[in-house]
């Protein structure tokens, strides 16, 4: 059974804190993605990676960075959390090409 | 940025009704169109991936069609059941891109 896991389901952080969201997949997928989901806006792509150490900006990369040191792990970093980064964060992975993405359970982050 | 649009934004139907939603996407450099179902408190799950103009896919009571020349896809649900209640997302991939752009989704509620 394919699996994408995320480090936390719920997270509460304070403004200015550095936040790490971890994502691990066990399917040997080349591609990994980070999205945020806000009401009425659907899934918006923050960053994606198509190989180890490779990354591409998505539609809303400002305030975020990513790290992919190993194929199975893709980390999203909020360098200095702000209240407008309160959201649901979803990680996904896929094979290279037009294949379906497999999603993790999501992390609901609240920044106070 | 690839603009993927879905309509309607939300839909309420009675059990047994048939329904359909629309997804429109830019047709230039089109590579693949995906439909996902996202139930509350769960991760999005892939329903269909379509690549060819005229493609039709079916899974039980749910089917989808694709028109790549005019840039739209329809998702049909025959005889809706309460368990079909979910947000239905479509996403488009462009040629030579690894990333996927999602629409905002159609939220379906099926009343018993």
């Amino acid at each position: 059974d394919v699996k994408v896991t995320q480090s936390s389901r719920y997270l509460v952080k304070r403004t200015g804190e550095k936040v790490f969201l971890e994502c691990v997949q066990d399917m040997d997928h080349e591609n990994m993605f980070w999205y945020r989901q806000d009401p009425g806006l659907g899934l918006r792509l923050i960053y994606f990676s198509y190989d180890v150490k490779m990354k591409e900006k998505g539609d809303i990369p400002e305030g975020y960075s990513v790290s992919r040191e190993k194929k199975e792990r893709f980390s999203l970093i909020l360098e200095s959390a702000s209240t407008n980064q309160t959201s649901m964060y979803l990680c996904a992975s896929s094979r290279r090409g037009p294949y379906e993405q497999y999603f993790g359970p999501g992390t609901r982050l609240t920044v106070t | 940025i690839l603009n993927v649009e879905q309509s309607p934004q939300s839909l309420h139907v009675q059990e047994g009704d048939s329904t359909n939603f629309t997804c429109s996407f830019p047709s230039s450099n089109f590579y693949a169109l995906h439909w996902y179902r996202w139930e509350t408190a769960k991760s999005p799950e892939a329903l269909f991936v379509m690549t060819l103009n005229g493609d039709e896919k079916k899974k039980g009571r749910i089917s989808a069609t694709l028109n790549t020349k005019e840039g739209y896809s329809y998702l049909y649900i025959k005889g809706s059941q309460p368990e079909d209640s979910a947000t239905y997302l479509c996403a488009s991939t462009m040629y030579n891109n690894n990333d996927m752009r999602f629409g905002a989704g159609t939220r379906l509620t099926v009343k018993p």
Side-chain angles (χ1 to χ4, degrees), chain A residues 35 45 59 90 98 100-101 104-105, chain B residues 32 36 38 43 46 49 101-102:
Chain A
Y35 297 92
L45 182 66
D59 296 328
L90 284 158
E100 65 182 287
Q101 293 186 5
Chain B
Y36 288 82
W38 193 0
S43 307
V49 180
R101 292 295 191 266
F102 283 84

Side-chain angles (χ1 to χ4, degrees), chain B:
Chain B
I1 294 176
L2 193 66
N3 287 330
V4 178
E5 297 181 356
Q6 292 186 247
S7 62
Q9 191 172 41
S10 66
L11 197 55
H12 294 252
V13 301
Q14 288 295 135
E15 183 175 353
D17 287 351
S18 294
T19 188
N20 64 85
F21 331 129
T22 303
C23 172
S24 64
F25 54 89
S27 52
S28 60
N29 290 329
F30 170 82
Y31 196 19
L33 191 284
H34 304 245
W35 281 101
Y36 288 82
R37 175 166 60 199
W38 193 0
E39 296 178 66
T40 303
K42 293 185 179 180
S43 307
E45 290 185 347
L47 286 171
F48 305 114
V49 180
M50 295 179 287
T51 56
L52 299 175
N53 185 45
D55 258 355
E56 291 187 28
K57 294 278 178 91
K58 188 174 180 182
K59 188 182 287 189
R61 294 179 290 98
I62 304 177
S63 60
T65 61
L66 179 65
N67 182 324
T68 61
K69 292 183 180 179
E70 295 181 41
Y72 65 84
S73 174
Y74 294 132
L75 187 80
Y76 301 92
I77 302 180
K78 187 177 178 182
S80 303
Q81 299 297 308
E83 59 265 32
D84 295 330
S85 297
T87 296
Y88 291 83
L89 297 169
C90 77
S92 182
T93 307
M94 292 173 71
Y95 224 92
N96 294 329
N97 273 11
N98 283 293
D99 63 326
M100 190 181 290
R101 292 295 191 266
F102 283 84
T106 293
R107 185 172 181 83
L108 174 67
T109 304
V110 182
K111 301 173 189 174

Side-chain angles (χ1 to χ4, degrees), chain A:
Chain A
D1 197 20
V2 298
K3 200 134 189 178
V4 179
T5 56
Q6 295 183 227
S7 49
S8 308
R9 290 300 301 268
Y10 300 94
L11 209 52
V12 180
K13 294 291 181 181
R14 293 197 173 171
T15 301
E17 279 193 85
K18 190 168 186 175
V19 182
F20 292 88
L21 301 182
E22 301 284 334
C23 176
V24 178
Q25 51 97 0
D26 65 359
M27 296 162 280
D28 202 35
H29 284 167
E30 293 84 6
N31 297 338
M32 295 189 75
F33 307 82
W34 274 106
Y35 297 92
R36 63 178 280 177
Q37 192 262 335
D38 301 289
L41 296 177
L43 291 173
R44 291 184 293 166
L45 182 66
I46 304 171
Y47 268 97
F48 70 98
S49 168
Y50 52 89
D51 206 344
V52 175
K53 297 191 186 293
M54 305 303 289
K55 60 185 180 184
E56 293 281 344
K57 291 180 180 179
D59 296 328
I60 50 165
E62 296 79 19
Y64 303 94
S65 61
V66 290
S67 172
R68 193 163 180 205
E69 297 296 317
K70 293 185 178 180
K71 191 176 185 180
E72 67 271 18
R73 189 180 296 269
F74 192 34
S75 303
L76 181 70
I77 303 153
L78 286 66
E79 295 289 342
S80 177
S82 62
T83 54
N84 62 14
Q85 293 178 310
T86 291
S87 187
M88 169 71 86
Y89 290 87
L90 284 158
C91 173
S93 72
S94 75
R95 287 187 288 158
R96 187 165 290 144
Y99 299 102
E100 65 182 287
Q101 293 186 5
Y102 293 86
F103 285 84
T107 296
R108 185 164 290 284
L109 172 68
T110 302
V111 182
T112 60

